[in-house]
Structure formats: C-alpha cells, structure tokens
Amino acid sequence: MKTRHLTATLALGSVAALALAGCASGNQAEGGSGDGGDKGTITLGFLPSWTDGLSTAYLLEDQLGKLGYTVEMQTLTEAGPLYAGLAQGDVDIYPSAWPELTHADYMDKYGDDIEDLGAYYDDAKLTMAVPSYVDIDSIDQLQANAARFDGKIYGIEPGAGLTKQTQEVAMPGYGLDGLELVTSSTAAMLTELDNAIAAQKDIVVTLWRPFWANDAYDVKDLADPQGLMGDPEALHFLGTSGFAEKYPDAAELIAGIQLDDAQYGSLEDLVVNEYGEGKEADAVDAWLEQNPDAFSTQRD
C-alpha cells in the first residue's frame, strides 16, 4: 500500500491532538476566518508544504465563509496525524486527500470514521522527472546513467508516500541500485532542482501532478514503462464522519467542485506564487474573478 506520509508506529490520536492544539491559534487570524459566520464553525486541516491542499483550503475558506460558516484553518506537517484528527472529529475537512492509492493505508486505518465528500481532480500521479535538457526519457535508463546524476535521486520528506513508492517499489523494480534517494523536504528538493537548472547540470527528482513546480521549472516526467510509480488517482475532499448530515449545504457545495487542469493550475499558481504567504485570500479573490462560473452550478 502507498501513503503520501507514513509515520512510524505512534499513538497517532495523541500526536494529532498535540499537533492540532499547537497549530490552531496562529492560522485563524492569518486565514481571515474570524468573519463571524452564524451557521457554526468548520475546521480545515491541511499541510502547507503540499500546495494542492494549501490552495483548496483557502478556496474552501472563501466559499464556506460565503455560506455563513466560521472557518478555522489548522496546519500540520504529516498526513498521519491529519487523518487521525479527521477520524476523531478534531478536523472537519481535509481539503485535498489522496485516498485511493497514495493514502490508502490511512483509509484502511481510519476510513470507517471518514466521509468522502467528492473528488475535485481526477488525474493526480507520482513521478520522477528531469530537466528538459537531459537526454534521458525513461526511468529504466537511470541505472546505466547513474554517474551523470552523482548517484542521487532527490526526493521530498522521508515519510511521504511518494518516498515510500520510490524507495520500496520503483527503485527495486527498475534495479536502481546505483542510485540513492536523498530525502529531506519538498523545499530542499526544489532548491536542488533550481540550482541544477541554473547550472545546466543533470538531476533527477521525485515530483507529482498536480504541482506548480511542473510549470515553474522546465522539467519532463520520465516514462514509467512498468507503471511502478503507481496509477493516476483522484484528489478528494474528505470530511469527518457525519459531516454531510451536520452541514448539508456545505457538503453539497463541496461535492460540486471539479477543477480541470487549467483551473487547478491557475489557482495553485495564484495562491503559491503570484500572491504568496499571507495573501491567500487575495489570491482566491483573483482566481474567482478569472473563473466567475466555477461555482455557478452550486449556487443556482
């Protein structure tokens, strides 16, 4: 099974409670969630370093606020505590989950206490990528060219499902024993990629789609002829058990959100790059101006 973030055997419920308690205070004011909605409070839990969830969290904050809810934004750094918090009701919504494949282990563990509120994007996938100027086009070419990459593949967080899939499935399956997966963080991987491209050096990194870096950097996905990085999957909004019954209008709105590549790409680019940290609400406003009919079906 694949998980985007697989924490070690911890009492995840306790970890979730501590993580949520530690993160709740700072982001409410930052996210502008104190607008005084009179329908109740909905808590969104997300991982800021995974910008699919960052972007959709602020989109939901805007939309749920317009329905009359007070929205609390709670950030975590690992998916395991987030799923535990969702199952326990400490978090109401996880706004961009990978439950079909990448987070399947978490769904096996917590799925009985989680509601699927709908998929908003249907072609998410894990990849290995190189700059476009690198004359290698497939993962099965990496072993023979390991020296060109200094024997390294640059990855993201050690506990990420992408890391697990790369280490435990793709690398053994393609016989990449001449390469080491270097893990640290998403930011560190992007720094290595940025520096390599600036110097026109060969580099291979682990990436995923949708992710803004695929457009920001001139990179290409390596072909995966054995399919060992996994099949494409959908990105879902997940709710704590009973969410739709408690908040039916919110659940209806969320279920109607579907983004194509252009809509998703522009949302993420505005939130992450053009506006950036602290101006996420402004980025969502700009996106809604560009996509005035995005929620017309829910509002009719």
Side-chain angles (χ1 to χ4, degrees):
M1 287 286 188
K2 293 172 272 185
T3 57
R4 182 87 175 260
H5 264 280
L6 181 62
T7 40
T9 33
L10 298 168
L12 286 180
S14 299
V15 174
L18 290 171
L20 292 169
C23 296
S25 59
N27 277 327
Q28 182 165 343
E30 176 186 318
S33 54
D35 293 335
D38 58 7
K39 288 187 174 181
T41 299
I42 293 176
T43 302
L44 303 181
F46 63 102
L47 286 66
S49 62
W50 296 353
T51 52
D52 53 323
L54 174 73
S55 303
T56 51
Y58 282 98
L59 178 62
L60 286 189
E61 181 194 40
D62 176 271
Q63 294 297 297
L64 294 174
K66 288 173 179 174
L67 282 182
Y69 292 97
T70 297
V71 181
E72 291 184 355
M73 308 288 271
Q74 296 193 356
T75 61
L76 293 93
T77 58
E78 293 282 344
L82 178 47
Y83 272 88
L86 189 64
Q88 294 169 0
D90 297 318
V91 171
D92 294 308
I93 299 173
Y94 180 4
S96 186
W98 300 56
E100 299 172 3
L101 297 170
T102 305
H103 291 168
D105 283 355
Y106 294 129
M107 292 302 292
D108 288 344
K109 185 169 186 176
Y110 300 110
D112 289 346
D113 297 307
I114 291 173
E115 285 186 19
D116 188 346
L117 302 177
Y120 74 87
Y121 183 87
D122 63 4
D123 194 29
K125 58 185 177 180
L126 308 179
T127 68
M128 290 190 204
V130 297
S132 294
Y133 55 76
V134 177
D135 60 347
I136 287 175
D137 299 306
S138 179
I139 297 174
D140 60 10
Q141 296 176 281
L142 290 175
Q143 176 66 15
N145 292 277
R148 292 178 54 180
F149 301 100
D150 295 325
K152 296 176 182 177
I153 299 171
Y154 286 95
I156 58 170
E157 290 78 5
L162 172 57
T163 300
K164 182 181 180 183
Q165 188 71 15
T166 304
Q167 281 182 324
E168 298 183 11
V169 181
M171 292 180 71
Y174 284 109
L176 303 185
D177 51 14
L179 292 110
E180 171 195 6
L181 181 63
V182 179
T183 60
S184 178
S185 68
T186 301
M189 177 274 292
L190 291 175
T191 296
E192 294 288 347
L193 178 62
D194 187 79
N195 291 340
I197 290 177
Q200 292 288 287
K201 292 184 176 179
D202 291 346
I203 187 173
V204 57
V205 298
T206 60
L207 285 176
W208 62 94
R209 293 181 180 274
F211 184 36
W212 62 266
N214 293 290
D215 295 318
Y217 295 100
D218 187 14
V219 295
K220 62 182 178 182
D221 294 343
L222 292 178
D224 179 13
Q226 297 186 49
L228 298 182
M229 293 300 289
D231 295 328
E233 60 184 305
L235 300 183
H236 293 245
F237 296 113
L238 299 182
T240 191
S241 181
F243 181 89
E245 182 177 357
K246 186 175 182 179
Y247 307 111
D249 55 346
E252 182 181 2
L253 181 142
I254 291 167
I257 299 174
Q258 292 187 332
L259 304 181
D260 60 25
D261 284 327
Q263 290 171 322
Y264 174 84
S266 64
L267 174 64
E268 190 179 39
D269 185 55
L270 286 166
V271 171
V272 176
N273 299 317
E274 291 195 31
Y275 284 81
E277 187 175 358
K279 297 183 179 179
E280 293 90 351
D282 294 333
V284 171
D285 287 342
W287 184 83
L288 290 169
E289 287 182 10
Q290 296 173 10
N291 298 271
D293 300 323
F295 297 97
S296 60
T297 56
Q298 294 95 293
R299 296 293 174 82
D300 288 344

